[in-house]
Amino acid sequence: MNADRLPPVAPEVTATLVEGLSPRLRKRLDAAVTKLAARPVHRDGDTTTIEVDDETELRLRAPGGVVAKAEDITCGCLLAPACVHRAAAACAAPTADLAPEPAEQPTPQASGPASATVPASATHPTPVADPASASATHQASGTDSAPGPGPAPGLTPEPTPAPDAAPPETATPDQRAAADALGAAGAAVLEAGVDGAGAVAQSALLRAAHTARLRHLPRAAGAALSVVTLLRAARAGDPSYRTAELVTALAELLGTARRVATASGAELAAVRGRVRRPYSPDGSLRLYGLFTEPVVTDSGHGGVRTWVAGADGRLFTVGDVAPGGVGRALGVADRAVRLGDSALTHRELGRAGLAVSGATVSPDGRLGAGKSVKAVTARGAAWTEPPLAALWETPPAEQAARALRSTSRYADPDGTGSDLLFLDVELLGAVREPGGTCLLALGEGGVPVRLTAAADDPALAHRDNLALLAAAPGTRLRIIGRLIPAAHPRLTLLACSHPTGEGTIDLGLDRLRRADLPDPAAPAHFAPPQPAGPGAQSPLYLLERRVEQTVPAGRAALGMLGDVTAETRRIRRGGLPTAAALLTALCASAAQRDRDHFGRLLPADTDGFTTYWLAAARYSAAVSESLCAAAWNPTGEDWGVSAAAPRPTI
């Protein structure tokens, strides 16, 4: 049985069914989910049927496309409705997206922000600075230091409000309780690891996510659903699963849940998040097409996204993504854009223009397609003509810093900015890497940039086009790519000017031919090795791998490491003393188990271990982003690089 064939189930439904099981059936739940996955599935309209055995059927009814009530899952076995089959089906099905928030709004609290509680760590053998204050603002040289007393560098203390000023809004007691429940459920997952976080632990997260949504905390609730989805992918052996993604999702969940108690004002609004993407009026826009990229997701959705630019250089997107996979992505590219009265297809819009009146735009630049929006076809512009030419005039280091601010893993999402870079490059040839082959190009200022394919699916043109371009060393191109945070300049290549100089190529949809290259008979050229970037030799990976090692096997994986003095010594020699202190404290916390007066083991300090793991994860991400920014900025000029590595607040 493919889980994608089952209808999505609301988080509260799964939690209710699992909570209703007896302790004996809960122990059998994971085995029941695995057994149910091997049974045939049939779908008839809104009803999906699973054959539990030759005589028993399990039905999931999804009248609105989602199983929204526990009563919508029925089983024909003798133990129903208290059987394990209903809960197993809910756990095997995809988790439905968050429903819109209830209409009522929480009543603001008049009290000031609460103080964060940090567990005592006097038993750790090596002292470490407070993880919450570990600075993530680094020099290009890669050194760091533990923060001293007073505000962190680059930060100023908040001004004291006037006596007659209204106190800033803070979280309600219900919101704090919901955030605490989410944090506890996330800490339990971290404690047990993927191997121990079965259906019962996942249902606890789903119940906490449902409560958080009702308390108007959609950001934390969404992070919890992401953790559950990734846990299921990991336990099912999904080849698309990546441990780094679960680390990011788990750190986002734990960090956001902890911030609810202390945030106030604008920060509280960012921590709360929002369910729906708001669209606001933007008047009349004159838009110029840039390119169209295919979109294929792991969940089976497919479509395209067309990028356009306004006369002032702002970037906008027009998308069409729905269930259908790569086949739909290729078909939608030649369908009309859903925007006003325009008859342009997505391919055509990527090279043409639009005049839009009554435009509505979301914070991340998506154009709305409401009834009041009017759009007509207009003349486009070449990449070398204004206003598009200005996109390539911004220095690459400044573009990379902007992209990092937009894609930072743990920054508060404001929806602004984009992760696209616009570069003029000279192709050098292919470069062999452990994960395959990429295309090496020389950018502005002699910076080597590695270009990779945006997708490996052979139905898309990315991989074949990249291989052909590798056979044309010396070719100068104007390119558009998406930043990949790494210790060296790296992009996924999305579009480029045609090698002949005429027109542009959407590298996921258009296919180059050998006749398009300057020398059609030239074989693939492999570029010589390039010097490593400023962060290539950083020992930060020693901390990163311990952070990632915790996720699959849980706290016990670090608790059995023993002495890590050699690793911390190497990290200190690399100029990262805070990273060394965090690694020491993290491993010591994992191994710490106190005993009572009778020699019996006391419960582990889960909160203390979670605090150090979260600090290490946030710190590693911030330093990695700083090293990435430094790699794009070899001249040392200040383009606001430090802003790309936000201070890891936990």
Side-chain angles (χ1 to χ4, degrees), residues 367-420:
L367 292 169
K371 295 181 179 179
S372 61
V373 178
K374 307 296 181 184
V376 295
T377 304
R379 177 186 175 276
W383 287 1
T384 55
E385 300 175 353
L388 299 185
L391 297 172
W392 279 265
E393 295 173 0
T394 304
E398 183 178 353
Q399 295 189 51
R402 178 205 63 212
L404 278 170
R405 288 192 294 269
S406 173
T407 61
S408 181
R409 277 177 273 180
Y410 305 119
D412 290 337
D414 59 6
T416 60
S418 96
D419 55 359
L420 298 185

Side-chain angles (χ1 to χ4, degrees), residues 295-317:
V295 178
V296 181
T297 68
D298 294 335
S299 60
H301 288 66
V304 294
R305 181 189 300 116
T306 299
W307 289 81
V308 297
D312 57 356
R314 285 189 298 162
L315 299 181
F316 304 91
T317 59

Side-chain angles (χ1 to χ4, degrees), residues 127-218:
V128 63
D130 179 6
S133 63
S135 173
T137 302
H138 304 272
Q139 304 297 327
S141 61
T143 61
D144 71 354
S145 60
L155 299 178
T156 57
E158 296 185 2
T160 303
D164 57 346
E169 180 185 4
T170 59
T172 66
D174 285 345
Q175 288 178 329
R176 295 175 185 175
D180 290 343
L182 271 175
V189 169
L190 183 64
E191 179 81 13
V194 170
D195 296 339
V200 175
Q202 294 168 25
S203 71
L205 262 179
L206 293 176
R207 170 62 70 192
H210 174 61
T211 303
R213 181 191 67 80
L214 295 179
R215 300 294 182 263
H216 309 279
L217 298 174

Side-chain angles (χ1 to χ4, degrees), residues 7-20:
V9 177
E12 61 271 24
V13 172
T14 303
T16 299
L17 292 176
V18 173
E19 291 165 358

Side-chain angles (χ1 to χ4, degrees), residues 34 180 317 415 439 463 517 546:
T34 303
D180 290 343
T317 59
L439 176 62
R463 182 63 63 184
L517 303 180
R546 298 309 181 192

